[in-house]
Amino acid sequence: MSESKNLVEKPKSSEEVYKGKLLHVFYDEAILPNGAVSSREWIKHPGACAVVPIFENNDVMLIDQFRYPPQKLFLEVPAGKIDLGEDIDKTAERELLEETGLKAESMINIGHFYPAIGYANEVIHIYVARGLSQTNEDTDDDEFVQQRRIPFEEAIQMVHSGEITDGKTICCLLRAEHYLKSV
Protein backbone atom coordinates (compact mmCIF):
# COMPACT_ATOMS: atom_id res chain seq x y z
CA MET A 1 0.00 0.00 0.00
CA SER A 2 2.91 2.40 0.65
CA GLU A 3 3.75 2.43 -3.06
CA SER A 4 0.24 3.80 -3.74
CA LYS A 5 1.26 7.09 -2.14
CA ASN A 6 3.46 7.61 -5.19
CA LEU A 7 0.28 7.93 -7.28
CA VAL A 8 -1.32 10.83 -5.40
CA GLU A 9 -1.79 14.15 -7.19
CA LYS A 10 -1.73 17.35 -5.15
CA PRO A 11 -3.84 20.42 -5.95
CA LYS A 12 -1.86 23.45 -7.11
CA SER A 13 -4.72 25.80 -7.97
CA SER A 14 -8.49 25.64 -8.37
CA GLU A 15 -10.96 27.88 -10.15
CA GLU A 16 -14.74 27.49 -10.13
CA VAL A 17 -15.78 28.04 -13.75
CA TYR A 18 -19.51 27.35 -13.40
CA LYS A 19 -21.86 27.36 -10.43
CA GLY A 20 -25.28 25.83 -11.03
CA LYS A 21 -28.10 24.88 -8.69
CA LEU A 22 -26.82 21.30 -8.42
CA LEU A 23 -23.38 21.10 -10.01
CA HIS A 24 -20.25 23.21 -9.69
CA VAL A 25 -17.57 22.85 -12.36
CA PHE A 26 -13.91 23.44 -11.52
CA TYR A 27 -10.72 23.84 -13.49
CA ASP A 28 -7.72 22.80 -11.39
CA GLU A 29 -4.04 22.45 -11.89
CA ALA A 30 -2.59 19.40 -10.16
CA ILE A 31 0.97 18.49 -9.30
CA LEU A 32 1.57 14.97 -10.58
CA PRO A 33 3.64 12.36 -8.73
CA ASN A 34 6.62 13.13 -11.03
CA GLY A 35 6.41 16.87 -10.24
CA ALA A 36 4.86 17.90 -13.55
CA VAL A 37 1.66 19.98 -13.59
CA SER A 38 -1.49 18.95 -15.45
CA SER A 39 -5.02 20.33 -15.76
CA ARG A 40 -8.07 18.67 -14.21
CA GLU A 41 -11.66 19.57 -14.98
CA TRP A 42 -14.16 18.16 -12.51
CA ILE A 43 -17.67 18.48 -11.15
CA LYS A 44 -18.48 18.99 -7.48
CA HIS A 45 -21.67 17.12 -6.57
CA PRO A 46 -23.47 17.05 -3.18
CA GLY A 47 -23.81 13.25 -3.22
CA ALA A 48 -26.91 11.10 -3.39
CA CYS A 49 -28.74 8.16 -1.90
CA ALA A 50 -30.32 5.28 -3.78
CA VAL A 51 -32.81 2.83 -2.32
CA VAL A 52 -33.66 -0.75 -3.29
CA PRO A 53 -37.17 -1.26 -1.82
CA ILE A 54 -37.84 -4.99 -1.41
CA PHE A 55 -41.25 -6.31 -0.40
CA GLU A 56 -41.86 -9.41 1.74
CA ASN A 57 -42.52 -11.52 -1.39
CA ASN A 58 -39.17 -10.35 -2.87
CA ASP A 59 -40.70 -7.93 -5.37
CA VAL A 60 -38.74 -4.71 -5.86
CA MET A 61 -40.20 -1.27 -6.56
CA LEU A 62 -38.44 0.49 -9.42
CA ILE A 63 -39.41 3.67 -11.21
CA ASP A 64 -39.61 4.67 -14.85
CA GLN A 65 -38.16 8.14 -15.30
CA PHE A 66 -37.25 10.23 -18.36
CA ARG A 67 -33.68 11.54 -18.23
CA TYR A 68 -33.07 14.69 -20.21
CA PRO A 69 -29.33 14.44 -21.09
CA PRO A 70 -29.60 11.08 -22.94
CA GLN A 71 -33.24 11.81 -23.99
CA LYS A 72 -34.38 8.38 -22.82
CA LEU A 73 -36.70 6.67 -20.40
CA PHE A 74 -34.86 4.60 -17.76
CA LEU A 75 -35.95 1.98 -15.24
CA GLU A 76 -34.26 2.98 -11.98
CA VAL A 77 -34.09 2.52 -8.26
CA PRO A 78 -35.50 5.50 -6.33
CA ALA A 79 -32.67 7.96 -5.72
CA GLY A 80 -31.87 11.60 -5.21
CA LYS A 81 -29.34 14.15 -4.08
CA ILE A 82 -28.43 14.89 -0.50
CA ASP A 83 -29.70 18.32 0.54
CA LEU A 84 -27.25 20.66 2.26
CA GLY A 85 -26.80 19.56 5.88
CA GLU A 86 -29.12 16.57 5.48
CA ASP A 87 -28.24 13.22 7.06
CA ILE A 88 -27.89 10.46 4.44
CA ASP A 89 -30.40 8.23 6.25
CA LYS A 90 -32.98 11.04 6.00
CA THR A 91 -32.17 11.54 2.31
CA ALA A 92 -32.81 7.84 1.63
CA GLU A 93 -36.11 7.90 3.52
CA ARG A 94 -37.20 11.11 1.77
CA GLU A 95 -36.39 9.83 -1.71
CA LEU A 96 -38.15 6.52 -1.09
CA LEU A 97 -41.30 8.36 0.00
CA GLU A 98 -41.16 11.02 -2.74
CA GLU A 99 -40.66 8.64 -5.63
CA THR A 100 -42.66 5.58 -4.55
CA GLY A 101 -44.99 6.61 -1.73
CA LEU A 102 -43.39 3.89 0.41
CA LYS A 103 -42.21 3.99 4.00
CA ALA A 104 -39.85 1.37 5.39
CA GLU A 105 -39.58 -0.19 8.84
CA SER A 106 -35.86 -0.66 8.21
CA MET A 107 -33.38 1.08 5.96
CA ILE A 108 -30.08 -0.79 5.76
CA ASN A 109 -27.06 1.07 4.42
CA ILE A 110 -25.14 -1.51 2.36
CA GLY A 111 -22.31 0.71 1.15
CA HIS A 112 -21.55 3.36 -1.41
CA PHE A 113 -19.90 3.86 -4.78
CA TYR A 114 -18.50 6.61 -6.99
CA PRO A 115 -20.31 6.64 -10.37
CA ALA A 116 -18.07 9.04 -12.32
CA ILE A 117 -14.54 9.09 -10.83
CA GLY A 118 -12.97 10.52 -14.00
CA TYR A 119 -14.81 13.84 -13.79
CA ALA A 120 -16.90 14.13 -10.60
CA ASN A 121 -16.65 13.64 -6.84
CA GLU A 122 -20.21 12.30 -6.53
CA VAL A 123 -20.76 9.45 -4.09
CA ILE A 124 -23.99 7.44 -3.97
CA HIS A 125 -25.00 5.71 -0.73
CA ILE A 126 -26.96 2.47 -1.23
CA TYR A 127 -29.84 1.36 0.99
CA VAL A 128 -32.06 -1.70 1.10
CA ALA A 129 -35.55 -0.88 2.39
CA ARG A 130 -37.60 -3.61 4.10
CA GLY A 131 -40.93 -3.73 5.93
CA LEU A 132 -42.58 -1.55 3.29
CA SER A 133 -45.97 0.13 3.63
CA GLN A 134 -47.74 2.25 1.04
CA THR A 135 -48.55 5.90 1.77
CA ASN A 136 -48.97 8.67 -0.77
CA GLU A 137 -46.38 9.55 -3.41
CA ASP A 138 -44.94 13.03 -2.84
CA THR A 139 -42.83 13.78 -5.93
CA ASP A 140 -41.22 17.14 -6.51
CA ASP A 141 -43.12 19.51 -8.83
CA ASP A 142 -40.53 19.02 -11.59
CA GLU A 143 -40.26 15.25 -11.20
CA PHE A 144 -42.41 12.75 -13.07
CA VAL A 145 -42.04 9.04 -12.31
CA GLN A 146 -44.08 5.89 -12.69
CA GLN A 147 -43.67 3.03 -10.22
CA ARG A 148 -43.11 -0.50 -11.47
CA ARG A 149 -43.21 -3.41 -9.02
CA ILE A 150 -41.48 -6.52 -10.34
CA PRO A 151 -39.93 -9.68 -8.89
CA PHE A 152 -36.39 -8.99 -7.65
CA GLU A 153 -34.94 -11.86 -9.69
CA GLU A 154 -36.56 -10.44 -12.84
CA ALA A 155 -34.85 -7.11 -12.14
CA ILE A 156 -31.51 -8.92 -11.82
CA GLN A 157 -32.17 -10.68 -15.14
CA MET A 158 -32.96 -7.28 -16.70
CA VAL A 159 -29.52 -6.08 -15.55
CA HIS A 160 -27.79 -9.03 -17.20
CA SER A 161 -29.85 -8.83 -20.40
CA GLY A 162 -29.09 -5.13 -20.82
CA GLU A 163 -32.69 -4.03 -20.36
CA ILE A 164 -31.69 -2.01 -17.28
CA THR A 165 -28.88 0.31 -18.40
CA ASP A 166 -28.68 2.95 -15.66
CA GLY A 167 -25.34 2.45 -13.91
CA LYS A 168 -26.66 3.47 -10.50
CA THR A 169 -29.48 0.95 -10.72
CA ILE A 170 -27.20 -1.83 -11.95
CA CYS A 171 -24.78 -1.29 -9.08
CA CYS A 172 -27.51 -1.01 -6.46
CA LEU A 173 -29.41 -4.11 -7.58
CA LEU A 174 -26.25 -6.24 -7.71
CA ARG A 175 -25.09 -5.00 -4.30
CA ALA A 176 -28.58 -5.65 -2.88
CA GLU A 177 -28.53 -9.16 -4.37
CA HIS A 178 -25.22 -9.86 -2.63
CA TYR A 179 -26.53 -8.40 0.64
CA LEU A 180 -29.70 -10.53 0.51
CA LYS A 181 -27.67 -13.70 -0.03
CA SER A 182 -25.52 -12.88 3.02
CA VAL A 183 -28.35 -12.37 5.54
Side-chain angles (χ1 to χ4, degrees), residues 70-83:
Q71 292 287 299
K72 291 181 69 163
L73 191 64
F74 288 88
L75 185 60
E76 306 178 39
V77 293
K81 76 171 183 68
I82 301 167
D83 289 339

Side-chain angles (χ1 to χ4, degrees), residues 46-169:
C49 290
V51 183
V52 182
I54 302 173
F55 293 90
E56 294 302 315
N57 70 348
N58 278 340
D59 281 359
V60 62
M61 180 70 79
L62 300 177
I63 59 169
D64 286 304
Q65 186 169 15
F66 181 80
R67 293 300 188 162
Y68 188 83
Q71 292 287 299
K72 291 181 69 163
L73 191 64
F74 288 88
L75 185 60
E76 306 178 39
V77 293
K81 76 171 183 68
I82 301 167
D83 289 339
L84 185 63
E86 186 176 39
D87 178 78
I88 62 172
D89 292 346
K90 294 295 179 201
T91 301
E93 292 170 7
R94 176 176 51 77
E95 288 298 331
L96 178 65
L97 180 62
E98 284 178 2
E99 295 188 351
T100 67
L102 295 171
K103 286 192 176 187
E105 288 177 15
S106 67
M107 296 282 281
I108 304 106
N109 185 320
I110 61 169
H112 63 276
F113 68 100
Y114 294 85
I117 59 174
Y119 59 86
N121 71 344
E122 180 182 13
V123 60
I124 298 178
H125 303 275
I126 309 168
Y127 287 79
V128 169
R130 302 302 304 254
L132 301 172
S133 59
Q134 189 70 50
T135 63
N136 291 324
E137 176 186 339
D138 187 25
T139 55
D140 293 335
D141 292 339
D142 63 349
E143 186 171 49
F144 299 90
V145 300
Q146 184 172 14
Q147 294 82 22
R148 194 182 329 175
R149 183 173 168 166
I150 62 175
F152 185 79
E153 283 306 315
E154 183 179 329
I156 296 299
Q157 290 171 2
M158 293 169 80
V159 165
H160 294 300
S161 72
E163 194 172 343
I164 291 178
T165 58
D166 169 52
K168 155 187 60 20
T169 300

Side-chain angles (χ1 to χ4, degrees), residues 9-14 28-32 35-38:
E9 299 176 1
K10 295 180 175 60
K12 180 180 178 191
S13 64
S14 184
D28 290 8
E29 287 190 338
I31 302 168
L32 305 180
V37 176
S38 187

Side-chain angles (χ1 to χ4, degrees), residues 31-47:
I31 302 168
L32 305 180
N34 66 0
V37 176
S38 187
S39 63
R40 299 288 182 255
E41 296 175 359
W42 64 281
I43 299 169
K44 182 178 180 182
H45 187 283

